[in-house]
Amino acid sequence: MKSIKVAIKQKTKLLKKLEEQFDITYHKKLSFLNKLVSKESPDIDLYFFNGTVNKEVEYLIKNSKYIICNSVGQKKYIKEKVKGIEDQRLKVIYPYPVVKYKYNNAVQEDFKKQYGIDPGNKIIFFTANDLLKSGVKSFFKTISSLEQKNFEVVVESNKKQIEQLKILLNRQKLECKIHYIEDYPDKDILFLVSDIYIASTVQKPFLNNILKAIYYKTVVFIPKTNFASEVLDPFAVMSKPDDPATAFKVDALLANEEELELVKQTNKERSKDFSFERRFNLVRSLAESLN
């Protein structure tokens, strides 16, 4: 069994499967003093980068044979922060969706009954741990611009965030029906039942919810500044969080059931490119190429 050394913040399903085929040693974080006196070789075979570059991360990058990035945007970020890093050492392997279920129409029907959503209306979804930082104002700016009326909005977050949002929206005149959901225990269900997910985020790091959404046949929209936009069709990419064109696109889909279903099915097919199996095979091939 081939031996490799890996650096990663938290062991994942992918690493656990990789352990079945490789003898993996995990890098242990050392203090600055320990780095000076340690006899352990700092050389790391695979470093799964995540987060931001600080001194410790830069140390790992410089002492790793390959750095696995989750997007081209993340790769560019590393090259900006760590000068002189060789391009061939930075490998882009997109994430895989962490999902629990298979798509099931009956789940949406039950959800609509539970929350009093009109069976004929579509669900437009927004979720975030920090609603304001994740662009909820831009989201509702898009919602307020819609001409079609055959939809209802579902917003999920923690209790404090929802209370703050209610105060914010009380100052606005929104005609649509909004369902506020606090601390929903199973986010997969919310993506499964939603028809459209608008992620009006201003943040750049890859939003993994995008992969979860397309797996569950949900239409998605996200700004081009977020690294997850790299895996989507141009139709789904917004020029900015409150891109006026998004409302026109959503209206067109709400007005045309066949077109909406076509985009949803196209997203489902696209999600197959990011399956766990395909992501694992890419990492395994990289590990096998190590000398």
Side-chain angles (χ1 to χ4, degrees), residues 15 19 25 33 68 114 210 233 248 254 265 279 281:
L15 262 297
E19 288 176 348
T25 301
L33 181 59
I68 297 177
Q114 180 182 355
I210 289 296
D233 184 90
F248 289 106
L254 291 173
Q265 188 58 45
R279 301 300 102 188
N281 287 337

Side-chain angles (χ1 to χ4, degrees), residues 1-262:
M1 186 176 284
K2 189 173 186 176
S3 297
I4 61 173
K5 189 171 183 179
V6 170
I8 191 169
K9 278 188 175 180
Q10 186 174 358
K11 191 183 295 186
T12 62
K13 175 184 175 182
L14 190 149
L15 262 297
K16 290 178 182 177
K17 185 169 182 178
L18 205 66
E19 288 176 348
E20 298 173 5
Q21 301 183 26
F22 296 88
D23 179 19
I24 300 178
T25 301
Y26 290 94
H27 169 76
K28 296 180 181 179
K29 184 177 179 180
L30 301 174
S31 67
F32 178 75
L33 181 59
N34 285 337
K35 287 175 190 175
L36 296 177
V37 301
S38 176
K39 296 181 180 180
E40 178 187 9
S41 170
D43 291 339
I44 296 161
D45 293 305
L46 301 178
Y47 173 35
F48 291 79
F49 176 82
N50 185 35
T52 57
V53 174
N54 53 30
K55 288 184 178 180
E56 174 63 24
V57 170
E58 186 173 353
Y59 170 81
L60 293 175
I61 290 172
K62 290 181 176 180
N63 289 282
S64 299
K65 291 178 182 176
Y66 291 117
I67 300 93
I68 297 177
C69 315
N70 68 12
S71 59
V72 174
Q74 191 181 72
K75 177 180 176 179
K76 290 179 179 177
Y77 166 75
I78 293 173
K79 292 182 75 172
E80 289 172 0
K81 295 294 183 179
V82 184
K83 303 301 180 184
I85 183 75
E86 298 92 335
D87 189 79
Q88 62 268 26
R89 290 173 56 209
L90 298 167
K91 302 296 182 181
V92 175
I93 298 180
Y94 290 109
Y96 56 90
V98 180
V99 292
K100 298 180 181 178
Y101 313 111
K102 292 183 178 180
Y103 184 79
N104 187 340
N105 276 325
V107 178
Q108 188 187 68
E109 293 172 8
D110 292 342
F111 183 87
K112 285 183 174 181
K113 288 179 182 178
Q114 180 182 355
Y115 286 93
I117 298 173
D118 189 309
N121 283 349
K122 304 303 179 185
I123 295 175
I124 301 180
F125 181 46
F126 188 91
T127 183
N129 292 326
D130 190 320
L131 294 175
L132 286 178
K133 286 185 178 180
S134 297
V136 75
K137 286 185 177 180
S138 295
F139 170 80
F140 277 106
K141 185 175 180 180
T142 298
I143 294 299
S144 64
S145 300
L146 295 176
E147 297 291 337
Q148 298 295 319
K149 305 300 179 185
N150 59 329
F151 71 91
E152 297 181 34
V153 173
V154 170
V155 180
E156 191 277 339
S157 191
N158 62 62
K159 183 176 181 180
K160 182 179 179 180
Q161 290 287 313
I162 291 296
E163 289 175 349
Q164 291 174 348
L165 179 62
K166 287 180 179 179
I167 294 172
L168 175 67
L169 294 183
N170 281 339
R171 303 168 190 162
Q172 303 180 27
K173 294 182 179 180
L174 292 171
E175 297 180 2
C176 63
K177 190 172 182 180
I178 305 171
H179 301 270
Y180 301 97
I181 299 181
E182 299 175 0
D183 299 305
Y184 198 80
D186 193 343
K187 296 284 181 65
D188 279 56
I189 293 294
L190 298 180
F191 282 103
L192 195 160
V193 304
S194 298
D195 297 286
I196 299 172
Y197 170 51
I198 304 176
S200 306
T201 180
V202 296
Q203 299 175 27
K204 291 183 179 182
F206 196 106
L207 185 63
N208 288 315
N209 278 343
I210 289 296
L211 292 178
K212 189 188 290 286
I214 65 174
Y215 171 86
Y216 286 123
K217 287 181 63 178
T218 305
V219 175
V220 298
F221 294 98
I222 194 167
K224 63 181 181 181
T225 48
N226 188 275
F227 299 156
S229 64
E230 296 173 20
V231 306
L232 299 174
D233 184 90
F235 176 81
V237 180
M238 301 187 286
S239 63
K240 56 182 180 178
D242 58 354
D243 183 358
T246 305
F248 289 106
K249 293 176 182 179
V250 174
D251 267 331
L253 295 174
L254 291 173
N256 190 325
E257 180 79 23
E258 290 185 3
E259 188 65 25
L260 176 64
E261 287 302 317
L262 176 61

